[in-house]
Amino acid sequence: MKIKFTFLAVLISVGLFAQNSLLIPSTLSGTSINLTLQNGTYQFYSGTNTTTMGANGNVLGPTLILNKGDFVNFSVNNQIGQTTTIHWHGMHVSPENDGGPHTTIAPNTTWTPSFTIMDKAGTYWYHPHLHTKTNEHVSKGIAGFIIVNDAEEAALTLPRTYGVDDFPLVVQTKDFDASKQIVVPSNSDDVIMVNATIDAALQTPAQVVRFRVLNGSSMRVFNIGLNNNKTFYQIASDGGLLSSSAALTRLQLAPGERADILIDFSGMTGQTVFLKSYASEFSNGIYGATTPGMGPGFTLTGYNPNPLNGTDFNIMQFNVTTQTASPVTSIPTTLATVTPILESTSNITRTLLMSPVDSGPNQLNGDFVINSVAFDLNVINYTIPLGNTEIWSISNNSAIAHPFHIHDVQFFILDRDGVAPAPSEQGRKDVILIKPQETIRFITKFDDFSSDVVPYMYHCHMLFHEDRGMMGQFKVVNTALGVADEVLGNKVSIYPNPTDGKIYINTQSDVTINKVEVFDMLGRSLKTIKNVKKDQAIDLQSFSMGIHFIKMYSNKGIVVKKIVVNH
Ligand code: C2O
Ligand code: CU
């Protein structure tokens, strides 16, 4: 009798909706993290094996729980039978540790980066990043969460017990063929899953619960909401806590973006709440809207028959159970100290344009480029002086919205088409969705890490676009020893080089040099000359023979030239 009653209760509570209990990734923590990338099989559909890739398992990867300030040794062993990389998305690490396309891990080898966790408490993630293979390796299953903890976050009354009142949710859509194998690339991504679980259900306690939501999809943007338009609270964006919690009924999440949200299930024991995407509300020109291009003339192969496009659908369900012993029962208002970078401190504005290769109505099927060039592993698109504070102004001249992502830094949005960002976008960010015909400006500082050898990436996080060349790379260089911005560099020359004493600076008419600093090979400052006049000679006679660096401070930024003293 009792069994029958329970069975009936379950049927009623789930509304006869097939459900699978949500997979909760295992965790790794401490200062020594070992990952093994492997091939596997996984039953997304019970009874049918799908070929997959995973880290330390058949699909996805363990959640890494790290503490700010810890020095962590990683080991990433590649057993997938092909070259790949692992990138720590959102984390501020040196280019050598970043795991971009240049830092390849050959089959049967191990990559051992180690670095100090410098980021604020937040939800980051890791995934492969081999050029032209990112979509395949991610879609087949390699992706994991990184949770960073710090003292500021720990002092707040927030749910933070993993798997009890704090859950990671990686939301993905994939395309399966008739034999239930994953198809990459595809615009027929009609299967929605959370943590690799289709029709996922989670038992949640009747209290405030935290969800770390990651859009891990290749292409699709979600318009997150709860059924009945129940309010939820965003507490964090990509790079950690917001300054105060934001009450929302919708939250747009593009590929690569994260948001920590709180849902208050207090007093709801026995009820079911659905996490949904209200994609019918998307304006056209967002992948997930009724029309993928900004106008009806733009078509994308495979897109229109896909039932997820332009409709509201369930992502997963929460079945509310009893409270835990020590529940969080209220939503904190004030969260972390967020210190945006002031626009007045920027050294330079860089202008980037995202555009289709073929601008016609068929453009959505094709390739997209940034500043008219496709990614080339051998071309450095920007050289950024270490310590620069920069504004990047990015415009989208294509018919579809692109999520722009940059490595190394977290940024602050200044404006979207001149309008200050909503609270959701006022915190630290590393991905931003840029709609057709929109211009967004962000500000960031390139601090701490430089390399003359390994660049960082910026790209569209729609993995098909990225793989097809919608990516660029930049080096951050220590200007005391390296070469600064090449556009500015081309406008300034010094002569003669080599020199036996005096040198002269020649500039194009729009560049004015105010100050000159001379460095030796070790980056030691030897001499500073202020109020430099036009055609003024700089005397290097007193310096030893060999390479020196002339750092010039101009109205257009800093430029450094190498000179050989030969007397
Ligand atoms: Cu999440 Cu360059 O990527
Ligand atoms: Cu794109």
Side-chain angles (χ1 to χ4, degrees):
M1 194 59 201
K2 188 156 189 278
I3 291 164
K4 239 186 195 165
F5 175 78
T6 310
F7 180 63
L8 188 66
V10 168
L11 282 183
I12 290 166
S13 74
V14 304
L16 297 169
F17 188 81
Q19 54 174 307
N20 302 305
S21 79
L22 180 79
L23 173 96
I24 309 290
S26 62
T27 63
L28 290 177
S29 53
T31 56
S32 171
I33 301 287
N34 297 316
L35 296 175
T36 300
L37 310 179
Q38 60 184 79
N39 295 314
T41 54
Y42 190 74
Q43 297 198 351
F44 292 97
Y45 296 91
S46 98
T48 309
N49 285 335
T50 300
T51 301
T52 54
M53 292 177 178
N56 299 6
N58 290 314
V59 74
L60 300 175
T63 298
L64 314 182
I65 302 183
L66 307 174
N67 297 315
K68 184 179 179 183
D70 276 0
F71 184 80
V72 182
N73 292 295
F74 297 83
S75 128
V76 184
N77 179 246
N78 178 5
Q79 293 300 326
I80 64 170
Q82 44 177 305
T83 300
T84 191
T85 85
I86 286 291
H87 166 57
W88 321 103
H89 178 127
M91 300 196 73
H92 182 46
V93 300
S94 75
E96 294 82 359
N97 286 324
D98 185 57
H102 295 271
T103 311
T104 51
I105 318 172
N108 303 312
T109 67
T110 300
W111 178 52
T112 54
S114 54
F115 50 83
T116 301
I117 307 305
M118 296 176 73
D119 286 282
K120 299 186 75 151
T123 306
Y124 305 86
W125 64 303
Y126 59 93
H127 63 76
H129 212 304
L130 186 72
H131 186 45
T132 74
K133 289 289 197 175
T134 299
N135 196 8
E136 182 186 336
H137 294 171
V138 174
S139 295
K140 291 220 170 134
I142 306 178
F145 281 92
I146 302 171
I147 295 175
V148 173
N149 293 318
D150 70 9
E152 185 183 41
E153 192 272 352
L156 295 167
T157 306
L158 285 172
R160 61 172 67 78
T161 308
Y162 187 84
V164 174
D165 62 5
D166 180 349
F167 299 92
L169 305 177
V170 52
V171 185
Q172 294 174 303
T173 51
K174 296 188 201 290
D175 178 18
F176 289 85
D177 66 15
S179 56
K180 300 291 186 230
Q181 301 306 309
I182 297 166
V183 182
V184 197
S186 173
N187 303 318
S188 307
D189 55 328
D190 57 354
V191 177
I192 176 138
M193 59 182 68
V194 182
N195 300 353
T197 313
I198 298 170
D199 291 334
L202 175 69
Q203 297 218 328
T204 44
Q207 61 202 53
V208 175
V209 177
R210 178 187 201 155
F211 297 98
R212 299 169 184 267
V213 189
L214 157 66
N215 183 344
S217 295
S218 292
M219 300 286 274
R220 183 169 300 275
V221 183
F222 298 108
N223 192 23
I224 302 284
L226 300 173
N227 63 309
N228 301 324
N229 293 323
K230 181 177 164 58
T231 299
F232 58 95
Y233 303 85
Q234 186 186 3
I235 57 167
S237 56
D238 301 334
L241 293 169
L242 300 175
S243 59
S244 54
S245 51
L248 300 172
T249 55
R250 296 289 185 272
L251 175 63
Q252 172 191 285
L253 214 57
E257 283 189 301
R258 291 87 66 210
D260 287 17
I261 62 171
L262 300 180
I263 303 177
D264 190 354
F265 296 107
S266 299
M268 296 180 68
T269 305
Q271 295 183 36
T272 295
V273 174
F274 290 90
L275 185 73
K276 297 175 69 87
S277 179
Y278 288 92
S280 71
E281 297 167 9
F282 274 141
S283 56
N284 287 333
I286 291 178
Y287 191 105
T290 306
T291 304
M294 56 184 287
F298 301 94
T299 55
L300 184 53
T301 306
Y303 189 88
N304 270 351
N306 187 333
L308 296 184
N309 295 325
T311 54
D312 302 336
F313 55 87
N314 291 336
I315 294 173
M316 66 171 292
Q317 69 182 68
F318 306 114
N319 299 322
V320 186
T321 63
T322 50
Q323 271 191 356
T324 62
S326 42
V328 173
T329 52
S330 62
I331 308 286
T333 321
T334 306
L335 300 167
T337 308
V338 175
T339 320
I341 303 171
L342 294 178
E343 189 170 341
S344 58
T345 62
S346 94
N347 303 82
I348 186 173
T349 296
R350 296 186 198 273
T351 308
L352 291 86
L353 180 67
M354 307 192 289
S355 55
V357 168
D358 159 9
S359 59
N362 195 36
Q363 62 167 267
L364 303 184
N365 290 300
D367 299 346
F368 296 91
V369 286
I370 300 174
N371 287 350
S372 307
V373 291
F375 180 68
D376 181 341
L377 271 166
N378 299 311
V379 172
I380 301 299
N381 303 93
Y382 294 108
T383 302
I384 295 175
L386 178 65
N388 244 26
T389 299
E390 304 200 346
I391 295 172
W392 285 34
S393 174
I394 310 164
S395 301
N396 181 355
N397 188 29
S398 75
I400 191 169
H402 303 276
F404 184 91
H405 171 53
I406 183 169
H407 291 205
D408 180 26
V409 293
Q410 292 284 325
F411 55 74
F412 291 96
I413 307 290
L414 292 171
D415 40 48
R416 282 182 173 274
D417 281 340
V419 179
S424 283
E425 296 185 339
Q426 285 175 14
R428 282 163 34 102
K429 292 283 294 165
D430 56 60
V431 179
I432 186 73
L433 187 70
I434 308 177
K435 298 196 182 80
Q437 306 307 313
E438 193 176 35
T439 296
I440 77 107
R441 293 191 314 142
F442 69 65
I443 188 165
T444 190
K445 184 161 201 229
F446 296 88
D447 237 344
D448 305 307
F449 303 112
S450 64
S451 166
D452 290 335
V453 183
V454 186
Y456 292 108
M457 302 296 127
Y458 57 87
H459 57 89
C460 175
H461 219 289
M462 290 166 89
L463 303 182
F464 177 69
H465 296 175
E466 173 189 340
D467 277 343
R468 302 279 303 193
M470 198 178 186
M471 177 155 72
Q473 49 189 353
F474 62 96
K475 275 183 187 166
V476 178
V477 297
N478 189 335
T479 51
L481 285 173
V483 182
D485 184 277
E486 63 246 273
V487 177
L488 184 56
N490 288 337
K491 295 184 167 197
V492 177
S493 59
I494 51 178
Y495 65 95
N497 188 9
T499 178
D500 58 1
K502 288 189 168 56
I503 58 160
Y504 298 88
I505 301 169
N506 191 13
T507 66
Q508 281 182 15
S509 57
D510 58 333
V511 180
T512 317
I513 308 280
N514 315 305
K515 186 171 97 171
V516 170
E517 200 171 356
V518 182
F519 292 86
D520 69 8
M521 275 262 283
L522 298 174
R524 288 179 298 212
S525 177
L526 303 176
K527 179 178 186 172
T528 301
I529 306 148
K530 290 187 182 144
N531 305 317
V532 179
K533 303 203 180 51
K534 209 170 157 37
D535 301 324
Q536 179 181 337
I538 314 269
D539 193 353
L540 304 181
Q541 200 98 53
S542 58
F543 301 138
S544 58
M545 281 177 51
I547 292 169
H548 290 72
F549 296 93
I550 312 296
K551 182 173 185 179
M552 291 162 279
Y553 299 78
S554 82
N555 59 328
K556 294 281 163 90
I558 292 167
V559 61
V560 178
K561 297 277 176 183
K562 201 196 247 186
I563 195 151
V564 177
V565 178
N566 206 351
H567 42 194

